[in-house]
Amino acid sequence: QAGSRDPHLRPTPSFPPSIMDSLPPVTGAAVVTSIVMYPADVIRAICMSNPGTGPVQAVNGFVGTHGLKGFVQQGLGAEITRASFSRMIKFWLQPQVHQAVYGRPQGKGNPVSKGVAGALATIPEVITISPLENMKLAEQLDKDKRFNGMADTAKHLTKTRGVVGGLYCGYIGMQMRQCLWTGGFFLSLDVFKGAVGAGVSSPLAQDIISGFMAGAFWGALNCWTG
């Protein structure tokens, strides 16, 4: 009879998603974002290391030294690895940290609990990315073209400054920057999402716009940390 069910068939059990289910999409998004944002990261590094240098001047100087190919060579490997690990670790771990600290899923948290979980998730992030950050900056600011890849850069840093001084130089500043940005991002994301939702009906558009607004807002407030 149409519509009847076999009483001997058992319903397929449903399992909640595991923490590994979110890892592939988070990692993929992190890699794509790292590649797209790399030219902007080069300009930022030059402007920060040369006070008074504007973006146009930074681009002209960099292209004059390395050519346009420098935007896809100087520190690209280190930056893609660093930024990919950075975003993957914090956005993947934040829900797990929230669950571990507060005993409830992130969806049932409040802005403060989400922000605290985000800040705590940056501790393993910065421990992981600090060596890559220092290698990347050394390559980006290499006006004399002394370095030939990540391995050569790491060898120079550890030989001249030691392992801690070479690979973890600026760790406190990086940790402060990531704590403030990531904690602030998750703290304010729902606030921006509520404001955007008042004028935008598409859930996907709400996520994109509110995520951009939260990131830009805390990026502006956090620029003094470098």
Side-chain angles (χ1 to χ4, degrees):
Q1 183 178 352
S4 63
R5 296 182 58 185
D6 188 337
H8 300 290
L9 290 178
R10 296 180 180 178
T12 303
S14 60
F15 300 97
S18 70
I19 63 172
M20 298 304 296
D21 290 336
S22 61
L23 186 57
V26 169
T27 303
V31 173
V32 171
T33 305
S34 304
I35 295 172
V36 172
M37 292 300 297
Y38 181 70
D41 186 77
V42 172
I43 297 171
R44 179 185 70 90
I46 296 172
C47 292
M48 286 173 53
S49 62
N50 298 277
T53 300
V56 175
Q57 185 180 355
V59 171
N60 291 336
F62 184 83
V63 172
T65 301
H66 303 287
L68 289 174
K69 64 181 181 181
F71 282 111
V72 294
Q73 288 183 341
Q74 295 300 116
L76 179 64
E79 171 57 13
I80 290 178
T81 306
R82 180 208 69 83
S84 298
F85 271 109
S86 174
R87 295 181 175 97
M88 181 268 289
I89 291 172
K90 80 172 99 198
F91 285 106
W92 181 58
L93 281 184
Q94 190 267 348
Q96 324 310 328
V97 173
H98 192 284
Q99 178 70 48
V101 173
Y102 295 100
R104 61 182 186 272
Q106 177 186 241
K108 296 183 179 180
N110 56 51
V112 174
S113 68
K114 294 176 182 179
V116 171
L120 292 175
T122 65
I123 295 174
E125 171 199 354
V126 179
I127 292 173
T128 302
I129 69 170
S130 181
L132 295 165
E133 176 78 7
N134 281 290
M135 284 187 278
K136 175 206 71 172
L137 287 174
E139 291 185 42
Q140 288 179 342
L141 303 177
D142 180 23
K143 296 180 180 180
D144 301 324
K145 300 182 179 181
R146 294 177 298 170
F147 305 131
N148 184 25
M150 292 172 58
D152 185 48
T153 307
K155 181 179 179 181
H156 170 79
L157 291 175
T158 54
K159 182 179 180 180
T160 57
R161 301 183 182 182
V163 174
V164 176
L167 300 182
Y168 285 89
C169 177
Y171 172 84
I172 299 299
M174 279 187 274
Q175 187 65 72
M176 182 185 302
R177 178 180 67 196
Q178 294 298 335
C179 271
L180 290 174
W181 186 90
T182 307
F185 175 87
F186 285 105
L187 174 71
S188 61
L189 182 59
D190 286 345
V191 176
F192 283 107
K193 189 174 292 188
V196 172
V200 178
S201 59
S202 168
L204 177 60
Q206 290 176 11
D207 288 342
I208 294 173
I209 296 172
S210 60
F212 176 82
M213 293 174 67
F217 178 73
W218 283 96
L221 292 182
N222 201 23
C223 64
W224 63 274
T225 64

